[in-house]
Amino acid sequence: MSDSREPRIRPARPDDDEPLALIDRLTWSPLHAVMPEPQPPYGPFFGGRHGVEGCLVAELDGRVAGYVRLGAPTPLASNAHVRQIQGLAVAEEARGRGVGRALIRAAVEESRRCGARRVTLRVLAHNTPARKLYESEGFVVEGVLPEEFFVGGAYVDDVFMGRSLP
């Protein structure tokens, strides 16, 4: 294993399914999740509406440390110029080492490379650490759906954030 101080970001591969599924399960929290906590039997990470394409993986010290999923916000051709962050997770042991920031920057660069003009995302209002990270990377609040979700025994606002790609 190589020891690196900086996370290495790369496109996902099919063999990332198991480590990414594990990160997803271990990082589940009502702070950011609107789906119920995963229970066995666990499904695959890649499948359904999210395949290997559009997923970027962070490696730290030679191990999978997190991911970001990029996708189209809608299937409409009139909306094809926008990419949306549709998932972000960083393994607990990799937090505080710049992995989340590197993934956000890589998602912005990948969106730009694909010809996008904007990147958007949705985040729960009470997820202050994520909102601060997104804001520090140029995302601004563009709308709020009050009490859109009932999570952890409380109603939570859904915050839409976005940024243009110059």
Side-chain angles (χ1 to χ4, degrees):
M1 266 192 227
S2 67
D3 179 42
S4 65
R5 296 189 182 276
E6 297 290 320
R8 181 173 89 84
I9 310 298
R10 62 169 174 77
R13 302 182 299 248
D15 64 338
D16 292 321
D17 191 275
E18 191 173 315
L20 293 179
L22 181 61
I23 288 172
D24 234 19
R25 290 193 304 272
L26 294 177
T27 60
W28 183 93
S29 165
L31 182 64
H32 60 78
V34 295
M35 299 296 289
E37 185 170 7
Q39 301 293 321
Y42 302 116
F45 182 79
F46 299 120
R49 35 175 272 199
H50 296 293
V52 174
E53 61 287 336
C55 186
L56 300 173
V57 172
E59 290 182 343
L60 193 62
D61 303 328
R63 298 180 58 166
V64 172
Y67 72 88
V68 62
R69 281 182 166 149
L70 274 170
T74 73
L76 303 171
S78 60
N79 190 227
H81 63 284
V82 179
R83 301 295 287 162
Q84 185 177 57
I85 293 175
Q86 297 177 338
L88 173 78
V90 175
E92 187 69 39
E93 64 274 9
R95 292 186 182 171
R97 297 182 62 190
V99 175
R101 185 172 306 282
L103 285 165
I104 294 296
R105 289 178 177 173
V108 167
E109 286 310 309
E110 177 64 12
S111 297
R112 188 178 282 122
R113 188 188 69 72
C114 292
R117 295 176 46 90
R118 292 180 33 76
V119 179
T120 63
L121 60 89
R122 296 170 69 170
V123 60
L124 295 177
H126 65 215
N127 192 346
T128 304
R131 290 181 62 185
K132 285 183 178 181
L133 172 62
Y134 298 137
E135 287 170 1
S136 74
E137 290 299 318
F139 288 83
V140 297
V141 173
E142 296 181 338
V144 177
L145 294 175
E147 298 184 352
E148 184 70 3
F149 295 103
F150 187 75
V151 179
Y155 291 99
V156 182
D157 295 351
D158 187 14
V159 179
F160 286 82
M161 299 182 80
R163 67 167 279 182
S164 295
L165 300 178

